[in-house]
Amino acid sequence: MEAGTTEEGAKQWQAQLTANALEGFADLLYRMNWFLFVNKTEYPLWASDHPIAIFNPVNPEPDPERGIERPGSKVHVPLSTDLVLALYDPGRYFVKSKREELTEKEHVDFQNKLQVEHCHRQVYSPIKDFEYAREVIQENPEYAELDYSDRFIH
């Protein structure tokens, strides 16, 4: 505890706490089922200012309650306009292949909807057509009304 009484000691203590937390988080990620979605459509995958989309179709809770430790969690992260990294709860989902193709517009729309749902302010696309994003927000106006300014402050 005395280490936290100086500025340098507090920095070292914080760094150690972070390192300990990251080790547990890395282990959790390692245990998840990892695979890629490969976009084979003409429609690009989007990214956003908050591209890590965590969702849980098994235990759908309000956004602050979501987390990758909850049974049924899925994490989707766009890597490019053609690739999405997916990590799934190994206790709930069986992944038969490490690579799945997105062959329908609806598959891409689902991935892009996740980006609209999780973004804080901006969605990015290589083409200037955000009509689908407008439709998603019109159907779910709460996506545009979320205040993230104190989301991670406890």
Side-chain angles (χ1 to χ4, degrees), residues 32 41 55 59 71 85 97 121 126 137-138:
M32 295 185 85
T41 73
F55 64 104
N59 295 304
L85 173 65
S97 171
R121 298 184 66 162
I137 291 171
Q138 188 172 12

Short mmCIF file of all heavy atoms in Angstrom, two decimals, residues 32 41 55 59 71 85 97 121 126 137-138:
data_model
loop_
_atom_site.label_atom_id
_atom_site.label_comp_id
_atom_site.label_asym_id
_atom_site.label_seq_id
_atom_site.Cartn_x
_atom_site.Cartn_y
_atom_site.Cartn_z
N MET A 32 -11.64 -19.19 -26.18
CA MET A 32 -12.81 -19.04 -27.06
C MET A 32 -12.54 -19.71 -28.40
O MET A 32 -11.40 -19.91 -28.79
CB MET A 32 -13.15 -17.56 -27.24
CG MET A 32 -13.61 -16.92 -25.93
SD MET A 32 -14.16 -15.23 -26.13
CE MET A 32 -15.85 -15.51 -26.61
N THR A 41 -19.49 -11.41 -50.92
CA THR A 41 -20.52 -10.63 -51.61
C THR A 41 -19.89 -9.37 -52.20
O THR A 41 -18.72 -9.06 -51.93
CB THR A 41 -21.66 -10.22 -50.67
OG1 THR A 41 -21.20 -9.19 -49.79
CG2 THR A 41 -22.18 -11.41 -49.88
N PHE A 55 -21.98 -9.44 -28.32
CA PHE A 55 -23.42 -9.64 -28.20
C PHE A 55 -23.67 -11.05 -27.70
O PHE A 55 -22.78 -11.90 -27.71
CB PHE A 55 -24.14 -9.35 -29.52
CG PHE A 55 -23.77 -10.26 -30.65
CD1 PHE A 55 -24.63 -11.27 -31.06
CD2 PHE A 55 -22.57 -10.10 -31.32
CE1 PHE A 55 -24.29 -12.11 -32.11
CE2 PHE A 55 -22.23 -10.93 -32.37
CZ PHE A 55 -23.09 -11.93 -32.76
N ASN A 59 -28.15 -14.90 -23.70
CA ASN A 59 -28.46 -14.08 -22.53
C ASN A 59 -28.47 -12.61 -22.93
O ASN A 59 -27.58 -11.85 -22.58
CB ASN A 59 -27.40 -14.29 -21.43
CG ASN A 59 -27.42 -15.68 -20.88
OD1 ASN A 59 -28.44 -16.15 -20.43
ND2 ASN A 59 -26.28 -16.36 -20.94
N PRO A 71 -22.02 -16.74 -20.38
CA PRO A 71 -22.33 -17.87 -21.27
C PRO A 71 -23.14 -17.41 -22.48
O PRO A 71 -24.09 -16.65 -22.35
CB PRO A 71 -23.16 -18.80 -20.38
CG PRO A 71 -22.78 -18.45 -18.98
CD PRO A 71 -22.48 -16.97 -19.01
N LEU A 85 -13.25 -11.20 -37.73
CA LEU A 85 -12.78 -12.15 -36.74
C LEU A 85 -13.93 -12.41 -35.79
O LEU A 85 -14.54 -11.47 -35.29
CB LEU A 85 -11.57 -11.60 -35.98
CG LEU A 85 -11.08 -12.44 -34.80
CD1 LEU A 85 -10.55 -13.79 -35.28
CD2 LEU A 85 -10.02 -11.66 -34.02
N SER A 97 -15.80 -25.23 -38.51
CA SER A 97 -14.79 -24.76 -39.46
C SER A 97 -14.19 -23.48 -38.93
O SER A 97 -14.86 -22.70 -38.27
CB SER A 97 -15.45 -24.50 -40.82
OG SER A 97 -14.56 -23.85 -41.69
N ARG A 121 -19.96 7.05 -32.44
CA ARG A 121 -20.26 8.23 -33.25
C ARG A 121 -20.19 7.99 -34.75
O ARG A 121 -20.89 8.65 -35.49
CB ARG A 121 -19.28 9.36 -32.92
CG ARG A 121 -19.38 9.80 -31.46
CD ARG A 121 -18.49 10.94 -31.21
NE ARG A 121 -19.00 12.06 -31.99
CZ ARG A 121 -18.68 13.30 -31.78
NH1 ARG A 121 -17.85 13.61 -30.85
NH2 ARG A 121 -19.18 14.26 -32.53
N PRO A 126 -16.00 1.83 -47.31
CA PRO A 126 -15.25 2.31 -48.47
C PRO A 126 -16.15 2.96 -49.52
O PRO A 126 -15.66 3.61 -50.44
CB PRO A 126 -14.60 1.04 -49.03
CG PRO A 126 -15.51 -0.05 -48.61
CD PRO A 126 -16.05 0.37 -47.26
N ILE A 137 -30.92 2.74 -37.61
CA ILE A 137 -31.16 3.75 -36.56
C ILE A 137 -32.63 4.14 -36.51
O ILE A 137 -33.18 4.35 -35.43
CB ILE A 137 -30.24 4.98 -36.78
CG1 ILE A 137 -28.81 4.57 -36.49
CG2 ILE A 137 -30.67 6.14 -35.90
CD1 ILE A 137 -27.77 5.61 -36.85
N GLN A 138 -33.28 4.20 -37.66
CA GLN A 138 -34.71 4.51 -37.67
C GLN A 138 -35.50 3.42 -36.94
O GLN A 138 -36.42 3.71 -36.19
CB GLN A 138 -35.21 4.67 -39.10
CG GLN A 138 -36.64 5.18 -39.17
CD GLN A 138 -37.05 5.51 -40.61
OE1 GLN A 138 -36.37 5.16 -41.57
NE2 GLN A 138 -38.17 6.18 -40.75
#
